[in-house]
Amino acid sequence: MDRNDRPHSRDKEVSSGTAHVGKGKRVDAGGKVGSGSGGMSPGGGRLHKGRSASAGSAVGLLALFLALPKKLRTVLLLLIAAVALFALLNPSQGGEAEQPGGYQDAALTSAPPASAPTSAPSPGPATEPAAATPGPVSSDARSYRVTPLGNGQDTVTVMIYMCGTDLESKYGMGTSDLNEMIKATISDRVNVIVETGGCRQWRNSVVSSRVNEVYKVESGGLRRLEDNFGDSAMTDPANLSKFIRYCAENYPADRNILIFWDHGGGSLSGYGYDEKHASSSSMTLDQINAALAAGGCTFDWIGFDACLMATLETAMVCERYADYMIASEESEPGTGWYYTDWLTQLSRNTSVDTVTLAGTIIDTFVQESCRASARAQVTLSVMDLARLSQRVPAAFRSFSTSTNALVQGDGYRQVSDARSGARQFAQSSRIDQVDLIDLCERLGTGEAQALARALRDCVRYNNSTVSRANGVSIFFPYESLSSMNSAVSTFNSLGIDSEYTKCIQSFASLGQGGHMVSSASAYGGQYGSYGDLLGTLLGGYEGSSSQSAYGSSPLGSLLGSYTNASGSASSGYSISAADIVGLMSAFSGRSMPRELAWVDTELVASSAGKIAEQSIDPGRITVTDKNGSKVLKLTDEEWERIRTAELNVFVDDGAGYIDLGLDNVLRFDGDGDLLLDFDGSWLTVDGHVCAYYLLSDTEDGNGGFTTVGRIPALLDKGEGARLVNLQLVFDDENPRGLITGAYPFYEGETDTESKGAIPVEAGDSLQFLCDYYGYDGSYSATYELGEEFTVQELRVTNMMLDGAAYSVTYRLTDLFGNHYWTPAITQ
């Protein structure tokens, strides 16, 4: 038995004492707080935050047709809007002091949030970060479009596009950053111009929420330049290009800088959420490209004080207009960039090298984020776009072509292994952005290694508290196929290398085929032909982002097991390799519904045999009695196809089921069989039982693992309770678990991720939440779980459940992303 082929299990600590499980009052959470992976809802589907339910992966195809409805609305989770040191954010609530138009000096009179430093920290690095010295322009780097005059003779215009949104109206983050700018010593050779908008209420007495405005930042105050710059959405590309032209015409400079300030969503969602014009959605990369083109300005660098924008796709857009890009791979903490030091440094020497200045921005960002919260998980990097333009395209094309050949040949599993293990960002919202260098190095092909080297040459400086975050990410579908149409459309409009689009289409298409196999087993031979079955499935396509075989959801397991050909208790019907080949062959020549227009049906049909070889027969997910224990017996070859296994626990309170979620705590016997027993312990925080949902479990470069999960809760920091997910991390440094912060829910208002995690501190009030189901398996409501309590130590540990009757299943996830539950065992 090769234990390396068995799913990873986190270590758990079981403390003395017991903990009680019971539901309290009903809570209006806007739907389930469970992830669908642990929720008993039929189908276990996930709906990607902010995207149409009709854009899901193949699972949903089948969901409508299952004898028991299997479609799950997902938790609209966003790794989002919160603030470091939220408890201290209490700026003045005074009304807006509207000032007449024209030029007028004004300081921000509201006190900045306490998370802003009361005094500036020591300046950032005075010299360029190590290994970041600019190299000579050569054949593998285009000429830099902006060359400083030198000797401090340059004039600089810094354009800050500040869409305040709820980051400002709820937390005063915009006010805090404006105060940081005002604290800088700004020379007369540096013009810092800010457009404000997108916010229902600015938490200071200067900036208006009525219309967009333009300000000039000066040492000690703001000067209002435009008291009515229109009221269009800050996510409207025309508004951005208008601002760029205004700055360039009124403040011409030797060096221009553009900073996007707001939420960010990365490759597909792009930038921004305007809470005054929520229906305007975000500004996608193709729209950013159009805005920059219409702006008609060349930039020294473009920065994103926003989440998730350090992607190769973003860099390829910015390269057309700038020499450098500064952005974060991960969601940014609410404090965002620290503006005082680098603006002062720029003013002292307006000819300062861009990478040196970027080093200050990056290092002070990390320092201030960690000072605000020791648990901050932050990334920030500067990419040399001149180098990228020459060094990356050929390597990227070779990587894409070779990886596509792997997928279409015998290497789907190799690519799937690399993708599933790569460092992923915004894990709770499943946006499928991974560190591209980590992905390449895990894939290990010569072409992938060459691309990794080229990218490392382009990432001039990177500082991160997150392992395997190397400074540049990319969209690569795996967790959800719901965004494939959007990805294909975006990539085509941006001119992203078509070979990469083909690569991810091939990978996703075979994943789609694998999903169809799993779900088709639900039908148990009800249809006369594979064509009839496939037509029925495609004709009823609605789209959900994951799928499982009939009877393989917790609902099916709890309401009754099924019997496989051998008579053992099984979670699903068997499907033979011949059946799989027949079903996949039926793809050939079929036109797909609009939501699946990206699927390469010919590839799926021609790969039928390979899909069959890699598929898991649901009928094999059985409970077997062995030496007095109940076990799941699979062959080594079958275990190789399983990516994760998770314990799924439901507490029977006499009227229905309380869902406690999913946790990857596993035990295997000497033969490598999964022991299906349950020791009766579950995760607690400060002694209180919580519902916990695993999000990711990835291997670090040193052989350790980082396990990330979430806990739905109501958090009250003295300003009223708010629905959040606590993020819980297990790694080598925190083997017992560390709560890194709380992320508020959005109700589908935006596709972007919010900056920041609210810190959870001693004295805060927490009320855990749970989903509740009737004995018929139907979702009842979301309830309080246990009693509200005051945070003390945030100690994470397992405790024995006090007198609970529970049903236990295990969820297995295969290399196609399909889920299977073992039949339930009642204890």
mmCIF file of all heavy atoms in Angstrom, residues 764-809:
data_model
loop_
_atom_site.group_PDB
_atom_site.id
_atom_site.type_symbol
_atom_site.label_atom_id
_atom_site.label_comp_id
_atom_site.label_asym_id
_atom_site.label_seq_id
_atom_site.Cartn_x
_atom_site.Cartn_y
_atom_site.Cartn_z
ATOM 1 N N ASP A 764 -14.711 40.441 21.395
ATOM 2 C CA ASP A 764 -15.731 40.380 20.348
ATOM 3 C C ASP A 764 -16.751 39.299 20.698
ATOM 4 O O ASP A 764 -16.452 38.359 21.444
ATOM 5 C CB ASP A 764 -15.114 40.046 18.994
ATOM 6 C CG ASP A 764 -14.189 41.137 18.478
ATOM 7 O OD1 ASP A 764 -14.284 42.273 18.981
ATOM 8 O OD2 ASP A 764 -13.375 40.840 17.587
ATOM 9 N N SER A 765 -17.948 39.429 20.142
ATOM 10 C CA SER A 765 -18.980 38.414 20.338
ATOM 11 C C SER A 765 -19.122 37.570 19.081
ATOM 12 O O SER A 765 -19.155 38.106 17.969
ATOM 13 C CB SER A 765 -20.323 39.074 20.667
ATOM 14 O OG SER A 765 -20.259 39.735 21.917
ATOM 15 N N LEU A 766 -19.207 36.266 19.267
ATOM 16 C CA LEU A 766 -19.385 35.333 18.154
ATOM 17 C C LEU A 766 -20.612 34.465 18.397
ATOM 18 O O LEU A 766 -20.853 33.992 19.520
ATOM 19 C CB LEU A 766 -18.158 34.429 17.997
ATOM 20 C CG LEU A 766 -16.981 34.933 17.173
ATOM 21 C CD1 LEU A 766 -15.850 33.926 17.206
ATOM 22 C CD2 LEU A 766 -17.392 35.229 15.729
ATOM 23 N N GLN A 767 -21.374 34.277 17.349
ATOM 24 C CA GLN A 767 -22.472 33.330 17.356
ATOM 25 C C GLN A 767 -22.311 32.438 16.131
ATOM 26 O O GLN A 767 -22.440 32.900 14.996
ATOM 27 C CB GLN A 767 -23.813 34.046 17.297
ATOM 28 C CG GLN A 767 -25.012 33.129 17.117
ATOM 29 C CD GLN A 767 -25.216 32.185 18.288
ATOM 30 O OE1 GLN A 767 -25.522 32.615 19.386
ATOM 31 N NE2 GLN A 767 -25.007 30.888 18.066
ATOM 32 N N PHE A 768 -22.004 31.157 16.342
ATOM 33 C CA PHE A 768 -21.845 30.254 15.224
ATOM 34 C C PHE A 768 -23.208 29.915 14.616
ATOM 35 O O PHE A 768 -24.250 30.003 15.275
ATOM 36 C CB PHE A 768 -21.122 28.980 15.658
ATOM 37 C CG PHE A 768 -19.692 29.211 16.039
ATOM 38 C CD1 PHE A 768 -19.129 28.557 17.129
ATOM 39 C CD2 PHE A 768 -18.900 30.093 15.326
ATOM 40 C CE1 PHE A 768 -17.803 28.768 17.478
ATOM 41 C CE2 PHE A 768 -17.584 30.316 15.673
ATOM 42 C CZ PHE A 768 -17.035 29.647 16.750
ATOM 43 N N LEU A 769 -23.188 29.515 13.343
ATOM 44 C CA LEU A 769 -24.403 29.224 12.593
ATOM 45 C C LEU A 769 -24.336 27.816 12.009
ATOM 46 O O LEU A 769 -23.248 27.260 11.803
ATOM 47 C CB LEU A 769 -24.586 30.236 11.460
ATOM 48 C CG LEU A 769 -24.634 31.720 11.857
ATOM 49 C CD1 LEU A 769 -24.729 32.593 10.606
ATOM 50 C CD2 LEU A 769 -25.796 32.000 12.793
ATOM 51 N N CYS A 770 -25.503 27.264 11.699
ATOM 52 C CA CYS A 770 -25.556 25.940 11.073
ATOM 53 C C CYS A 770 -26.780 25.856 10.175
ATOM 54 O O CYS A 770 -27.767 26.561 10.372
ATOM 55 C CB CYS A 770 -25.606 24.835 12.126
ATOM 56 S SG CYS A 770 -27.111 24.865 13.136
ATOM 57 N N ASP A 771 -26.713 24.988 9.181
ATOM 58 C CA ASP A 771 -27.868 24.667 8.350
ATOM 59 C C ASP A 771 -28.613 23.499 8.980
ATOM 60 O O ASP A 771 -28.003 22.592 9.570
ATOM 61 C CB ASP A 771 -27.433 24.309 6.930
ATOM 62 C CG ASP A 771 -26.939 25.512 6.148
ATOM 63 O OD1 ASP A 771 -27.369 26.641 6.471
ATOM 64 O OD2 ASP A 771 -26.120 25.333 5.233
ATOM 65 N N TYR A 772 -29.927 23.510 8.813
ATOM 66 C CA TYR A 772 -30.771 22.490 9.447
ATOM 67 C C TYR A 772 -31.676 21.867 8.399
ATOM 68 O O TYR A 772 -32.232 22.557 7.538
ATOM 69 C CB TYR A 772 -31.612 23.125 10.550
ATOM 70 C CG TYR A 772 -32.313 22.128 11.448
ATOM 71 C CD1 TYR A 772 -31.600 21.362 12.362
ATOM 72 C CD2 TYR A 772 -33.698 21.957 11.371
ATOM 73 C CE1 TYR A 772 -32.235 20.462 13.191
ATOM 74 C CE2 TYR A 772 -34.345 21.053 12.194
ATOM 75 C CZ TYR A 772 -33.614 20.304 13.104
ATOM 76 O OH TYR A 772 -34.244 19.410 13.920
ATOM 77 N N TYR A 773 -31.828 20.534 8.477
ATOM 78 C CA TYR A 773 -32.579 19.772 7.491
ATOM 79 C C TYR A 773 -33.592 18.874 8.173
ATOM 80 O O TYR A 773 -33.335 18.315 9.248
ATOM 81 C CB TYR A 773 -31.638 18.912 6.643
ATOM 82 C CG TYR A 773 -30.669 19.736 5.844
ATOM 83 C CD1 TYR A 773 -29.484 20.197 6.397
ATOM 84 C CD2 TYR A 773 -30.958 20.084 4.534
ATOM 85 C CE1 TYR A 773 -28.603 20.975 5.669
ATOM 86 C CE2 TYR A 773 -30.087 20.864 3.791
ATOM 87 C CZ TYR A 773 -28.907 21.308 4.369
ATOM 88 O OH TYR A 773 -28.052 22.097 3.644
ATOM 89 N N GLY A 774 -34.769 18.719 7.528
ATOM 90 C CA GLY A 774 -35.771 17.799 8.032
ATOM 91 C C GLY A 774 -35.391 16.362 7.737
ATOM 92 O O GLY A 774 -34.453 16.076 6.977
ATOM 93 N N TYR A 775 -36.143 15.460 8.320
ATOM 94 C CA TYR A 775 -35.854 14.043 8.101
ATOM 95 C C TYR A 775 -36.101 13.623 6.651
ATOM 96 O O TYR A 775 -35.618 12.579 6.212
ATOM 97 C CB TYR A 775 -36.698 13.181 9.041
ATOM 98 C CG TYR A 775 -36.168 13.165 10.460
ATOM 99 C CD1 TYR A 775 -37.036 13.278 11.539
ATOM 100 C CD2 TYR A 775 -34.808 13.030 10.721
ATOM 101 C CE1 TYR A 775 -36.575 13.253 12.846
ATOM 102 C CE2 TYR A 775 -34.322 13.012 12.016
ATOM 103 C CZ TYR A 775 -35.207 13.125 13.076
ATOM 104 O OH TYR A 775 -34.726 13.118 14.349
ATOM 105 N N ASP A 776 -36.852 14.449 5.923
ATOM 106 C CA ASP A 776 -37.043 14.131 4.505
ATOM 107 C C ASP A 776 -35.891 14.652 3.655
ATOM 108 O O ASP A 776 -35.881 14.508 2.432
ATOM 109 C CB ASP A 776 -38.359 14.707 3.991
ATOM 110 C CG ASP A 776 -38.399 16.230 4.056
ATOM 111 O OD1 ASP A 776 -37.468 16.842 4.630
ATOM 112 O OD2 ASP A 776 -39.390 16.809 3.561
ATOM 113 N N GLY A 777 -34.899 15.265 4.310
ATOM 114 C CA GLY A 777 -33.724 15.751 3.600
ATOM 115 C C GLY A 777 -33.852 17.151 3.078
ATOM 116 O O GLY A 777 -32.895 17.687 2.512
ATOM 117 N N SER A 778 -34.997 17.809 3.261
ATOM 118 C CA SER A 778 -35.177 19.158 2.734
ATOM 119 C C SER A 778 -34.543 20.175 3.666
ATOM 120 O O SER A 778 -34.593 20.043 4.892
ATOM 121 C CB SER A 778 -36.661 19.463 2.564
ATOM 122 O OG SER A 778 -37.322 19.424 3.821
ATOM 123 N N TYR A 779 -33.960 21.191 3.064
ATOM 124 C CA TYR A 779 -33.379 22.284 3.843
ATOM 125 C C TYR A 779 -34.490 23.021 4.562
ATOM 126 O O TYR A 779 -35.486 23.422 3.957
ATOM 127 C CB TYR A 779 -32.610 23.230 2.923
ATOM 128 C CG TYR A 779 -32.204 24.534 3.557
ATOM 129 C CD1 TYR A 779 -31.199 24.581 4.518
ATOM 130 C CD2 TYR A 779 -32.821 25.716 3.185
ATOM 131 C CE1 TYR A 779 -30.816 25.786 5.096
ATOM 132 C CE2 TYR A 779 -32.449 26.931 3.751
ATOM 133 C CZ TYR A 779 -31.454 26.960 4.711
ATOM 134 O OH TYR A 779 -31.079 28.161 5.275
ATOM 135 N N SER A 780 -34.318 23.211 5.849
ATOM 136 C CA SER A 780 -35.327 23.894 6.648
ATOM 137 C C SER A 780 -35.000 25.371 6.779
ATOM 138 O O SER A 780 -35.761 26.232 6.343
ATOM 139 C CB SER A 780 -35.419 23.251 8.036
ATOM 140 O OG SER A 780 -36.241 24.019 8.910
ATOM 141 N N ALA A 781 -33.838 25.674 7.366
ATOM 142 C CA ALA A 781 -33.429 27.062 7.591
ATOM 143 C C ALA A 781 -32.029 27.038 8.163
ATOM 144 O O ALA A 781 -31.453 25.980 8.447
ATOM 145 C CB ALA A 781 -34.400 27.780 8.531
ATOM 146 N N THR A 782 -31.495 28.230 8.349
ATOM 147 C CA THR A 782 -30.222 28.385 9.044
ATOM 148 C C THR A 782 -30.517 28.853 10.470
ATOM 149 O O THR A 782 -31.365 29.728 10.683
ATOM 150 C CB THR A 782 -29.328 29.401 8.318
ATOM 151 O OG1 THR A 782 -28.990 28.868 7.031
ATOM 152 C CG2 THR A 782 -28.055 29.664 9.090
ATOM 153 N N TYR A 783 -29.798 28.263 11.417
ATOM 154 C CA TYR A 783 -30.042 28.545 12.829
ATOM 155 C C TYR A 783 -28.746 28.914 13.535
ATOM 156 O O TYR A 783 -27.641 28.618 13.060
ATOM 157 C CB TYR A 783 -30.647 27.316 13.522
ATOM 158 C CG TYR A 783 -32.089 27.045 13.160
ATOM 159 C CD1 TYR A 783 -32.413 26.308 12.025
ATOM 160 C CD2 TYR A 783 -33.128 27.514 13.966
ATOM 161 C CE1 TYR A 783 -33.735 26.050 11.693
ATOM 162 C CE2 TYR A 783 -34.451 27.259 13.647
ATOM 163 C CZ TYR A 783 -34.754 26.537 12.517
ATOM 164 O OH TYR A 783 -36.057 26.281 12.193
ATOM 165 N N GLU A 784 -28.912 29.537 14.693
ATOM 166 C CA GLU A 784 -27.780 29.697 15.588
ATOM 167 C C GLU A 784 -27.334 28.319 16.050
ATOM 168 O O GLU A 784 -28.154 27.432 16.275
ATOM 169 C CB GLU A 784 -28.169 30.542 16.800
ATOM 170 C CG GLU A 784 -28.551 31.973 16.464
ATOM 171 C CD GLU A 784 -29.007 32.752 17.685
ATOM 172 O OE1 GLU A 784 -29.241 32.110 18.749
ATOM 173 O OE2 GLU A 784 -29.146 33.985 17.597
ATOM 174 N N LEU A 785 -26.045 28.133 16.202
ATOM 175 C CA LEU A 785 -25.481 26.873 16.682
ATOM 176 C C LEU A 785 -24.883 27.130 18.052
ATOM 177 O O LEU A 785 -23.887 27.859 18.183
ATOM 178 C CB LEU A 785 -24.413 26.355 15.717
ATOM 179 C CG LEU A 785 -23.683 25.068 16.120
ATOM 180 C CD1 LEU A 785 -24.670 23.908 16.280
ATOM 181 C CD2 LEU A 785 -22.617 24.717 15.082
ATOM 182 N N GLY A 786 -25.513 26.589 19.077
ATOM 183 C CA GLY A 786 -25.030 26.838 20.433
ATOM 184 C C GLY A 786 -25.349 28.257 20.882
ATOM 185 O O GLY A 786 -26.214 28.937 20.329
ATOM 186 N N GLU A 787 -24.614 28.713 21.882
ATOM 187 C CA GLU A 787 -24.845 30.022 22.477
ATOM 188 C C GLU A 787 -23.843 31.048 21.967
ATOM 189 O O GLU A 787 -22.700 30.711 21.620
ATOM 190 C CB GLU A 787 -24.727 29.921 24.008
ATOM 191 C CG GLU A 787 -25.693 28.939 24.645
ATOM 192 C CD GLU A 787 -27.130 29.404 24.551
ATOM 193 O OE1 GLU A 787 -27.357 30.629 24.502
ATOM 194 O OE2 GLU A 787 -28.033 28.525 24.524
ATOM 195 N N GLU A 788 -24.270 32.304 21.945
ATOM 196 C CA GLU A 788 -23.336 33.386 21.664
ATOM 197 C C GLU A 788 -22.308 33.458 22.792
ATOM 198 O O GLU A 788 -22.630 33.208 23.955
ATOM 199 C CB GLU A 788 -24.092 34.713 21.560
ATOM 200 C CG GLU A 788 -23.209 35.904 21.221
ATOM 201 C CD GLU A 788 -24.000 37.201 21.119
ATOM 202 O OE1 GLU A 788 -25.206 37.194 21.486
ATOM 203 O OE2 GLU A 788 -23.428 38.210 20.677
ATOM 204 N N PHE A 789 -21.064 33.784 22.441
ATOM 205 C CA PHE A 789 -20.033 33.855 23.471
ATOM 206 C C PHE A 789 -19.072 34.995 23.181
ATOM 207 O O PHE A 789 -19.005 35.509 22.058
ATOM 208 C CB PHE A 789 -19.270 32.525 23.561
ATOM 209 C CG PHE A 789 -18.467 32.166 22.347
ATOM 210 C CD1 PHE A 789 -17.099 32.425 22.273
ATOM 211 C CD2 PHE A 789 -19.069 31.542 21.248
ATOM 212 C CE1 PHE A 789 -16.352 32.085 21.154
ATOM 213 C CE2 PHE A 789 -18.336 31.205 20.127
ATOM 214 C CZ PHE A 789 -16.973 31.473 20.074
ATOM 215 N N THR A 790 -18.347 35.386 24.194
ATOM 216 C CA THR A 790 -17.336 36.437 24.070
ATOM 217 C C THR A 790 -15.988 35.800 23.785
ATOM 218 O O THR A 790 -15.568 34.876 24.504
ATOM 219 C CB THR A 790 -17.263 37.281 25.351
ATOM 220 O OG1 THR A 790 -18.548 37.885 25.574
ATOM 221 C CG2 THR A 790 -16.216 38.382 25.218
ATOM 222 N N VAL A 791 -15.321 36.265 22.754
ATOM 223 C CA VAL A 791 -14.035 35.692 22.362
ATOM 224 C C VAL A 791 -13.010 35.873 23.477
ATOM 225 O O VAL A 791 -12.896 36.951 24.079
ATOM 226 C CB VAL A 791 -13.523 36.360 21.070
ATOM 227 C CG1 VAL A 791 -12.101 35.914 20.747
ATOM 228 C CG2 VAL A 791 -14.455 36.046 19.907
ATOM 229 N N GLN A 792 -12.257 34.824 23.732
ATOM 230 C CA GLN A 792 -11.179 34.882 24.720
ATOM 231 C C GLN A 792 -9.834 34.649 24.044
ATOM 232 O O GLN A 792 -9.099 35.574 23.770
ATOM 233 C CB GLN A 792 -11.436 33.863 25.842
ATOM 234 C CG GLN A 792 -12.718 34.135 26.623
ATOM 235 C CD GLN A 792 -12.985 33.084 27.676
ATOM 236 O OE1 GLN A 792 -12.211 32.151 27.876
ATOM 237 N NE2 GLN A 792 -14.122 33.209 28.361
ATOM 238 N N GLU A 793 -9.534 33.381 23.718
ATOM 239 C CA GLU A 793 -8.229 33.050 23.138
ATOM 240 C C GLU A 793 -8.321 32.613 21.683
ATOM 241 O O GLU A 793 -7.303 32.473 21.019
ATOM 242 C CB GLU A 793 -7.571 31.926 23.950
ATOM 243 C CG GLU A 793 -7.385 32.225 25.426
ATOM 244 C CD GLU A 793 -6.810 31.031 26.167
ATOM 245 O OE1 GLU A 793 -6.201 30.162 25.502
ATOM 246 O OE2 GLU A 793 -6.971 30.946 27.386
ATOM 247 N N LEU A 794 -9.531 32.351 21.186
ATOM 248 C CA LEU A 794 -9.702 31.741 19.862
ATOM 249 C C LEU A 794 -8.942 30.414 19.777
ATOM 250 O O LEU A 794 -8.309 30.096 18.777
ATOM 251 C CB LEU A 794 -9.239 32.678 18.754
ATOM 252 C CG LEU A 794 -10.133 33.887 18.475
ATOM 253 C CD1 LEU A 794 -9.504 34.776 17.405
ATOM 254 C CD2 LEU A 794 -11.533 33.467 18.049
ATOM 255 N N ARG A 795 -9.013 29.649 20.831
ATOM 256 C CA ARG A 795 -8.344 28.347 20.869
ATOM 257 C C ARG A 795 -9.149 27.340 20.058
ATOM 258 O O ARG A 795 -10.330 27.122 20.284
ATOM 259 C CB ARG A 795 -8.193 27.851 22.299
ATOM 260 C CG ARG A 795 -7.447 26.512 22.404
ATOM 261 C CD ARG A 795 -7.091 26.196 23.847
ATOM 262 N NE ARG A 795 -6.312 24.970 23.926
ATOM 263 C CZ ARG A 795 -6.829 23.789 24.294
ATOM 264 N NH1 ARG A 795 -8.109 23.695 24.619
ATOM 265 N NH2 ARG A 795 -6.063 22.716 24.351
ATOM 266 N N VAL A 796 -8.486 26.728 19.085
ATOM 267 C CA VAL A 796 -9.120 25.756 18.203
ATOM 268 C C VAL A 796 -8.729 24.357 18.648
ATOM 269 O O VAL A 796 -7.536 24.045 18.790
ATOM 270 C CB VAL A 796 -8.687 25.980 16.738
ATOM 271 C CG1 VAL A 796 -9.326 24.941 15.825
ATOM 272 C CG2 VAL A 796 -9.049 27.394 16.285
ATOM 273 N N THR A 797 -9.711 23.517 18.857
ATOM 274 C CA THR A 797 -9.432 22.139 19.252
ATOM 275 C C THR A 797 -10.665 21.289 18.996
ATOM 276 O O THR A 797 -11.773 21.816 18.836
ATOM 277 C CB THR A 797 -9.055 22.057 20.750
ATOM 278 O OG1 THR A 797 -8.644 20.726 21.074
ATOM 279 C CG2 THR A 797 -10.223 22.454 21.640
ATOM 280 N N ASN A 798 -10.488 19.979 18.914
ATOM 281 C CA ASN A 798 -11.619 19.064 18.863
ATOM 282 C C ASN A 798 -12.040 18.714 20.282
ATOM 283 O O ASN A 798 -11.195 18.543 21.166
ATOM 284 C CB ASN A 798 -11.251 17.786 18.122
ATOM 285 C CG ASN A 798 -11.393 17.919 16.626
ATOM 286 O OD1 ASN A 798 -10.839 18.833 16.021
ATOM 287 N ND2 ASN A 798 -12.133 17.006 16.016
ATOM 288 N N MET A 799 -13.361 18.625 20.494
ATOM 289 C CA MET A 799 -13.900 18.166 21.772
ATOM 290 C C MET A 799 -14.970 17.128 21.503
ATOM 291 O O MET A 799 -15.595 17.114 20.428
ATOM 292 C CB MET A 799 -14.486 19.353 22.568
ATOM 293 C CG MET A 799 -13.449 20.386 22.990
ATOM 294 S SD MET A 799 -14.151 21.752 23.966
ATOM 295 C CE MET A 799 -14.578 20.869 25.476
ATOM 296 N N MET A 800 -15.190 16.259 22.484
ATOM 297 C CA MET A 800 -16.214 15.242 22.334
ATOM 298 C C MET A 800 -17.587 15.895 22.365
ATOM 299 O O MET A 800 -17.848 16.809 23.152
ATOM 300 C CB MET A 800 -16.107 14.209 23.462
ATOM 301 C CG MET A 800 -14.757 13.482 23.511
ATOM 302 S SD MET A 800 -14.375 12.592 21.983
ATOM 303 C CE MET A 800 -15.649 11.331 22.005
ATOM 304 N N LEU A 801 -18.472 15.438 21.465
ATOM 305 C CA LEU A 801 -19.827 15.958 21.431
ATOM 306 C C LEU A 801 -20.638 15.347 22.559
ATOM 307 O O LEU A 801 -20.605 14.131 22.770
ATOM 308 C CB LEU A 801 -20.473 15.643 20.076
ATOM 309 C CG LEU A 801 -19.734 16.188 18.850
ATOM 310 C CD1 LEU A 801 -20.501 15.835 17.581
ATOM 311 C CD2 LEU A 801 -19.530 17.684 18.952
ATOM 312 N N ASP A 802 -21.356 16.190 23.265
ATOM 313 C CA ASP A 802 -22.061 15.788 24.482
ATOM 314 C C ASP A 802 -23.399 15.135 24.159
ATOM 315 O O ASP A 802 -24.354 15.814 23.775
ATOM 316 C CB ASP A 802 -22.282 17.034 25.351
ATOM 317 C CG ASP A 802 -22.967 16.691 26.664
ATOM 318 O OD1 ASP A 802 -23.036 15.505 27.002
ATOM 319 O OD2 ASP A 802 -23.434 17.632 27.333
ATOM 320 N N GLY A 803 -23.464 13.817 24.288
ATOM 321 C CA GLY A 803 -24.720 13.093 24.176
ATOM 322 C C GLY A 803 -25.406 13.195 22.836
ATOM 323 O O GLY A 803 -26.628 13.101 22.752
ATOM 324 N N ALA A 804 -24.646 13.413 21.782
ATOM 325 C CA ALA A 804 -25.265 13.610 20.476
ATOM 326 C C ALA A 804 -25.463 12.279 19.753
ATOM 327 O O ALA A 804 -24.667 11.353 19.884
ATOM 328 C CB ALA A 804 -24.398 14.527 19.630
ATOM 329 N N ALA A 805 -26.567 12.200 19.003
ATOM 330 C CA ALA A 805 -26.762 11.106 18.052
ATOM 331 C C ALA A 805 -26.419 11.658 16.680
ATOM 332 O O ALA A 805 -26.911 12.711 16.291
ATOM 333 C CB ALA A 805 -28.212 10.620 18.089
ATOM 334 N N TYR A 806 -25.557 10.971 15.955
ATOM 335 C CA TYR A 806 -25.120 11.550 14.701
ATOM 336 C C TYR A 806 -25.032 10.505 13.609
ATOM 337 O O TYR A 806 -24.915 9.304 13.851
ATOM 338 C CB TYR A 806 -23.766 12.251 14.857
ATOM 339 C CG TYR A 806 -22.815 11.622 15.832
ATOM 340 C CD1 TYR A 806 -22.111 10.463 15.511
ATOM 341 C CD2 TYR A 806 -22.634 12.168 17.102
ATOM 342 C CE1 TYR A 806 -21.248 9.887 16.414
ATOM 343 C CE2 TYR A 806 -21.775 11.593 18.019
ATOM 344 C CZ TYR A 806 -21.090 10.449 17.677
ATOM 345 O OH TYR A 806 -20.244 9.872 18.586
ATOM 346 N N SER A 807 -25.111 11.028 12.385
ATOM 347 C CA SER A 807 -24.910 10.209 11.198
ATOM 348 C C SER A 807 -23.645 10.694 10.517
ATOM 349 O O SER A 807 -23.427 11.896 10.359
ATOM 350 C CB SER A 807 -26.098 10.323 10.251
ATOM 351 O OG SER A 807 -27.245 9.718 10.807
ATOM 352 N N VAL A 808 -22.828 9.756 10.097
ATOM 353 C CA VAL A 808 -21.498 10.068 9.581
ATOM 354 C C VAL A 808 -21.360 9.536 8.164
ATOM 355 O O VAL A 808 -21.695 8.380 7.884
ATOM 356 C CB VAL A 808 -20.410 9.431 10.472
ATOM 357 C CG1 VAL A 808 -19.032 9.719 9.916
ATOM 358 C CG2 VAL A 808 -20.536 9.933 11.895
ATOM 359 N N THR A 809 -20.897 10.395 7.269
ATOM 360 C CA THR A 809 -20.527 9.968 5.928
ATOM 361 C C THR A 809 -19.140 10.538 5.636
ATOM 362 O O THR A 809 -18.631 11.391 6.353
ATOM 363 C CB THR A 809 -21.519 10.471 4.861
ATOM 364 O OG1 THR A 809 -21.429 11.894 4.770
ATOM 365 C CG2 THR A 809 -22.930 10.073 5.192
#
